[in-house]
Amino acid sequence: MSEADQFDVIVVGAGAAGSIAALVAAQRGANVLLLEKSVLRGTNAQLSGGFLQAAGTRYQQEMGIEDSPELMMADIMKKNGGVANVDVVAEICRRSKDYIHFIADHVGLELHVNTTIKWYGHSAFRMHAGPAEKGSELVAQLRRAVAAEERVTLVDEARVTGLLAEDGRVTGVTAGIGDGTAEELRASGVVLACSGFGNNRQMLTQYCPDALDAVYIGSETSTGEGITWGMALGADVEFMSAWQGHAHVNPKYGTHLSGGLPYLGSIMVNLNGERFAREDLGYSELTPVILAQPSGIAVEIFDQRIVDALWTNGVFREAYDAGAVHRFERLEDLAAAHSLPVETVRRTVAAYNEGTRGTAADAFGREPSGTPLEAPWYGSVVTGGIAHTQGGLRIDPAARVLTPAGQPIAGLFAAGGTAAGMSGLGVAGYTSGNGLSHAFTTGLIAGESASAPVVSST
């Protein structure tokens, strides 16, 4: 880049966290260089369902939904077993409404609260989404907002190779721009928002070996460099064994069903035609349970009522339109089409329906819904996947990267998948929405913190 280019903040990664960090910093007066590995290869946010967890928003208030940051935090901490950076989780929950309002007011995406599904572990309806309820619409609008912001310079296909530091302070990055020649790019603040390590088999083997058999459904650019760059400068890491599983991946289609299916009444059977778990347990912790079934797959069974309820959900429609969901007039035909024992499937569904009516106890402890499954039937082959990792660089509530002694590394901030998340350890601590709420809120905070020297000088 030209020596005349002067930047106050450098943000590495233009996904959810990086884009909002860049926009926030720019609106506070900073000149921002936003470096992206590959727009074409996408981001985790782009591949997600696009649901945004937040508490105390104006959208909830308009609908009379009672929620608060304290209640959101209690839900998250209960799900992760009390294992998280409490101060950071508290700040994310407190500021979560701010990123929702920023996306609406400054990014320009029309939002609503989804009240079709009460997600597992949520004490209130707090999932917000755009009209299509799909991550791609969210990222597309972020890209438009970045392009319209004159203080942000986005460079695609940037090959960042490391951090620059002087006297214990991060002063910039080294990167190949344009012809690939390595350059030293300097700024007063650097935000690492370059995702986690879901697509790095070596790091998964080291930190998340239980995820190795899961189908990877995240961005191919999530290879963990930001975490390793921070560690090379003496940064601490936290919760590196944490990852978000997805129990509704369609292995032959490259799609996945909505994680909300079980909350509407779907069930899963293995190749023996038998249920094997409480399906509404949570789609992350259900992932290894599916992988432990014969051939590591299951058939998810649901009905027309559930299809109608999810028809406007972008992720579900994508799977449906791809052919991953099949309709049958008779349950026997569904079983035969998936090579399942017909009589076993018939008994399994009948027993589940008795549980929904409350006339018999559910074999796995699901609460009676009062709504049995009925024809026409829908079936979809699913397996367990990994969407992204949840461990990363240890940060404080200001998104500053910390050393093992708890001291901030001057000039260095982390957000999104590069920063340690809110899901504790392993796969079971993930609460629906943790990924995007963490990414956007830490991104917003990092943008504020990294641009603070600019604000204070004006």
Side-chain angles (χ1 to χ4, degrees):
M1 302 189 72
S2 169
E3 292 184 4
D5 294 319
Q6 298 292 323
F7 299 102
D8 303 301
V9 176
I10 295 174
V11 179
V12 184
S19 293
I20 196 170
L23 289 168
V24 167
Q27 291 194 11
R28 289 165 58 87
N31 291 318
V32 182
L33 177 60
L34 179 58
L35 301 174
E36 169 57 29
K37 184 187 292 187
S38 175
V39 168
L40 180 63
R41 288 184 285 172
T43 71
N44 283 333
Q46 190 172 352
L47 299 170
S48 75
F51 283 109
L52 307 171
Q53 180 186 202
T57 70
R58 64 179 187 244
Y59 299 98
Q60 291 175 306
Q61 293 169 3
E62 289 167 0
M63 298 182 68
I65 297 171
E66 295 185 6
D67 197 10
S68 69
E70 293 77 19
L71 185 58
M72 177 177 166
M73 180 177 177
D75 287 345
I76 290 172
M77 295 302 295
K78 180 179 179 181
K79 188 69 161 51
N80 66 30
V83 180
N85 187 321
V86 174
D87 292 338
V88 172
V89 176
E91 186 68 0
I92 289 172
C93 294
R94 186 180 74 84
R95 298 294 308 276
S96 64
K97 67 179 183 300
D98 296 338
Y99 90 79
I100 291 291
H101 299 157
F102 187 93
I103 288 173
D105 299 339
H106 299 288
V107 177
L109 182 65
E110 179 184 348
L111 296 175
H112 65 275
V113 180
N114 178 286
T115 56
T116 301
I117 300 165
K118 176 70 74 70
W119 296 84
Y120 183 74
H122 287 204
S123 296
F125 289 111
R126 63 170 66 108
M127 287 294 214
H128 301 65
E133 296 187 352
K134 196 174 180 181
S136 57
E137 72 170 343
L138 177 61
V139 172
Q141 192 62 32
L142 281 169
R143 298 267 190 252
R144 286 189 281 269
V146 166
E149 176 51 69
E150 62 181 15
R151 289 185 179 274
V152 176
T153 300
L154 170 63
V155 177
D156 191 18
E157 300 297 328
R159 291 165 294 284
V160 180
T161 56
L163 296 168
L164 296 172
E166 297 176 8
D167 299 323
R169 180 182 183 86
V170 171
T171 58
V173 302
T174 55
I177 305 293
D179 64 3
T181 302
E183 300 181 48
E184 293 188 350
L185 306 172
R186 298 184 183 278
S188 60
V190 173
V191 178
L192 295 177
C194 32
S195 195
F197 53 93
N199 198 33
N200 184 323
R201 296 290 289 184
Q202 182 177 350
M203 291 183 74
L204 282 180
T205 300
Q206 180 177 359
Y207 297 112
C208 304
D210 54 335
L212 290 172
D213 291 335
V215 177
Y216 183 58
I217 61 171
S219 169
E220 63 179 279
T221 63
S222 297
T223 47
E225 293 97 328
I227 297 172
T228 59
W229 296 333
M231 293 172 69
L233 286 183
D236 196 11
V237 292
E238 289 185 314
F239 314 119
M240 293 293 282
S241 69
W243 56 285
Q244 187 232 303
H246 201 299
H248 306 269
V249 177
N250 306 121
K252 294 183 179 180
Y253 295 89
T255 60
H256 56 85
L257 306 179
S258 168
L261 272 167
Y263 314 119
L264 296 171
S266 73
I267 63 170
M268 292 183 181
V269 299
N270 58 24
L271 295 184
N272 298 324
E274 300 170 333
R275 291 175 64 208
F276 50 87
R278 175 178 173 170
E279 296 88 352
D280 63 349
L281 182 66
Y283 54 79
S284 188
E285 59 263 55
L286 190 57
T287 297
V289 183
I290 288 182
L291 292 172
Q293 300 308 302
S295 299
I297 61 174
V299 177
E300 191 153 13
I301 300 174
F302 42 102
D303 61 10
Q304 189 67 54
R305 173 186 61 83
I306 296 174
V307 171
D308 292 343
L310 286 175
W311 197 244
T312 60
N313 177 266
V315 169
F316 179 79
R317 282 294 300 275
E318 185 177 69
Y320 189 98
D321 293 341
V325 179
H326 302 277
R327 184 179 187 273
F328 304 90
E329 294 299 326
R330 301 191 317 145
L331 185 60
E332 293 81 359
D333 295 333
L334 181 153
H338 294 93
S339 301
L340 305 175
V342 174
E343 288 301 320
T344 304
V345 171
R346 185 185 291 119
R347 288 195 302 270
T348 297
V349 172
Y352 170 74
N353 280 343
E354 288 299 310
T356 65
R357 297 186 183 100
T359 55
D362 183 84
F364 297 95
R366 284 181 71 161
E367 295 295 325
S369 67
T371 310
L373 294 171
E374 59 184 16
W377 307 92
Y378 289 81
S380 183
V381 176
V382 294
T383 189
I386 170 175
H388 49 81
T389 53
Q390 288 279 289
L393 299 177
R394 179 183 168 198
I395 60 172
D396 68 5
R400 299 181 299 179
V401 175
L402 303 178
T403 67
Q407 297 300 311
I409 298 176
L412 185 61
F413 308 87
T418 308
M422 305 185 289
S423 301
L425 302 171
V427 69
Y430 184 86
T431 299
S432 298
N434 270 11
L436 286 179
S437 61
H438 175 269
F440 277 116
T441 311
T442 57
L444 181 146
I445 294 169
E448 293 173 345
S449 297
S451 61
V454 177
V455 175
S456 63
S457 67
T458 58

